[in-house]
Amino acid sequence: MASINILGTAHAYELTAPTAKSDVLVFIHGWLLSRRYWQPLIELLAPSYQCLGYDLRGFGDSQIGQKNQNVVGSLEKSLVETVNAKAALYTPAVYANELGLLLKELNISSAWLVGHSLGGTIALWAAEQFPESVKGVICVNAGGGIYLKEAFEQFRSVGQQLVKFRPRILRYLPWIDLVFARDSVACPVARSWGRQRVIDFVMAHPQAALGTLLESTTEAEVNTLPKIVSQLQQPVYFIAGANDKVMEPKYVRHLASFHPLFECCGNNVIEIPDCGHLAMLEQPNVVAKEVSSILTRYESE
């Protein structure tokens, strides 16, 4: 693991060796997760493509320490030209800006973004902010763009309680890893991934965990996402889990429909059978095949 300072926070990342392909695959994790969940997919794709996995600010190993609290001022100064300077610090737009700075620091000028759940939203914002370096987006278990007031209020309420009740002793409870290995998936993932989910769940920084939850689910944010997708000039694809109960395929297709590639019948949507909300863990071989197929279509351009 390496780290690089982005606006006051040391961002943990892993970058595989360069290949003959010019594009770099950049993987963005979802809420209360970390870069580690991309490992099975990266292992399959790294022989053909250079891959970058990193932890979002406040998650995984990109923790916000006491010395980084001045990040507020630094972020506001940085976002003047790209995002409203008064924006909250945990919006997808702010995280997208940090991704753009990370790519610049690592001298990555041609990237395909692969984002899971919340990471998909961040990837779409980054494509809008950095069209010169983001060549395309692949959203995994990500969609939405429909604001249902009661549903979102309930989701935010439950989410806030989850964030508040995260004692670190939870990591030591017997069989807790089995519970997490069965959560939000069509079939249980390996117990080791359940253990990793417990660790990432309890270790996420409180401000980041709560801030990303609240800022990504406002009415304004939800209604803005389809507008962003409709304006993107880059190719945008969506991979959905047929049995995903967190982001149901119908909501994935809804957001995908705003992009020209959707046309009349969802040409930019791939639905994977027997798959829940963690496609990169549940069906890594299928996801890798679909990602490779998408990229191959644009390699001659």
Side-chain angles (χ1 to χ4, degrees):
M1 181 197 76
S3 68
I4 191 167
N5 189 294
I6 302 295
L7 299 175
T9 296
H11 280 62
Y13 73 92
E14 294 176 283
L15 183 63
T16 64
T19 70
K21 309 287 188 182
S22 59
D23 294 332
V24 178
L25 302 186
V26 180
F27 297 87
I28 313 163
H29 67 79
W31 188 56
L32 297 181
L33 300 177
S34 70
R35 71 185 189 283
R36 292 176 175 84
Y37 302 86
W38 294 113
Q39 179 184 345
L41 193 58
I42 289 176
E43 289 179 354
L44 293 168
L45 293 169
S48 300
Y49 298 92
Q50 186 173 32
C51 298
L52 170 66
Y54 77 104
D55 289 334
L56 296 169
R57 171 173 45 91
F59 299 92
D61 294 316
S62 297
Q63 289 298 320
I64 306 169
Q66 290 298 319
K67 294 182 179 180
N68 303 131
Q69 295 304 319
N70 60 353
V71 68
V72 175
S74 299
L75 273 170
E76 289 185 346
K77 183 177 179 181
S78 169
L79 297 176
V80 170
E81 295 184 356
T82 56
V83 188
N84 188 323
K86 295 182 180 180
L89 297 177
Y90 300 100
T91 64
V94 171
Y95 276 101
N97 180 72
E98 293 173 349
L99 171 55
L101 295 175
L102 177 64
L103 296 181
K104 183 177 181 181
E105 288 291 330
L106 295 176
N107 296 313
I108 296 174
S109 59
S110 182
W112 271 79
L113 307 183
V114 184
H116 171 254
S117 197
L118 172 64
T121 299
I122 294 171
L124 293 170
W125 273 97
E128 190 268 342
Q129 291 182 21
F130 306 101
E132 69 286 350
S133 57
V134 177
K135 304 308 177 185
V137 176
I138 301 174
C139 291
V140 180
N141 301 118
I146 304 176
Y147 187 78
L148 305 172
K149 188 174 185 296
E150 290 186 8
F152 271 88
E153 287 180 350
Q154 181 179 9
F155 176 76
R156 287 158 67 91
S157 176
V158 172
Q160 289 182 72
Q161 293 304 314
L162 284 175
V163 170
K164 291 178 181 179
F165 182 70
R166 293 181 301 140
R168 297 199 174 186
I169 195 175
L170 193 67
R171 291 178 293 174
Y172 307 108
L173 294 181
W175 311 112
I176 190 65
D177 50 346
L178 290 177
V179 174
F180 276 74
R182 287 168 168 76
D183 179 57
S184 304
V185 295
C187 298
V189 296
R191 190 167 178 174
S192 58
W193 288 116
R195 169 59 53 187
Q196 186 62 52
R197 292 187 71 184
V198 175
I199 293 172
D200 290 325
F201 174 72
V202 300
M203 296 301 293
H205 192 279
Q207 293 178 12
L210 183 59
T212 49
L213 168 71
L214 298 180
E215 296 300 334
S216 65
T217 56
T218 65
E219 183 173 3
E221 181 69 37
V222 173
N223 289 335
T224 297
L225 203 53
K227 298 176 183 177
I228 291 176
V229 174
S230 68
Q231 295 169 5
L232 291 179
Q233 299 301 308
Q234 306 98 312
V236 180
Y237 289 84
F238 294 79
I239 295 177
N243 306 104
D244 191 342
K245 303 303 181 183
V246 178
M247 182 56 67
E248 297 177 35
K250 63 181 179 182
Y251 297 123
V252 175
R253 294 179 67 86
H254 174 78
L255 186 59
S257 70
F258 288 89
H259 193 272
L261 283 175
F262 186 86
E263 296 184 350
C264 63
C265 51
N267 291 339
N268 61 339
V269 180
I270 300 102
E271 187 171 315
I272 301 177
D274 302 317
C275 185
H277 192 60
L278 294 173
M280 63 284 197
L281 293 185
E282 298 176 69
Q283 302 278 3
N285 290 294
V286 177
V287 176
K289 180 180 178 181
E290 296 295 348
V291 169
S292 296
S293 176
I294 292 169
L295 294 175
T296 300
R297 301 172 200 175
Y298 299 92
E299 286 176 359
S300 61
E301 297 183 3

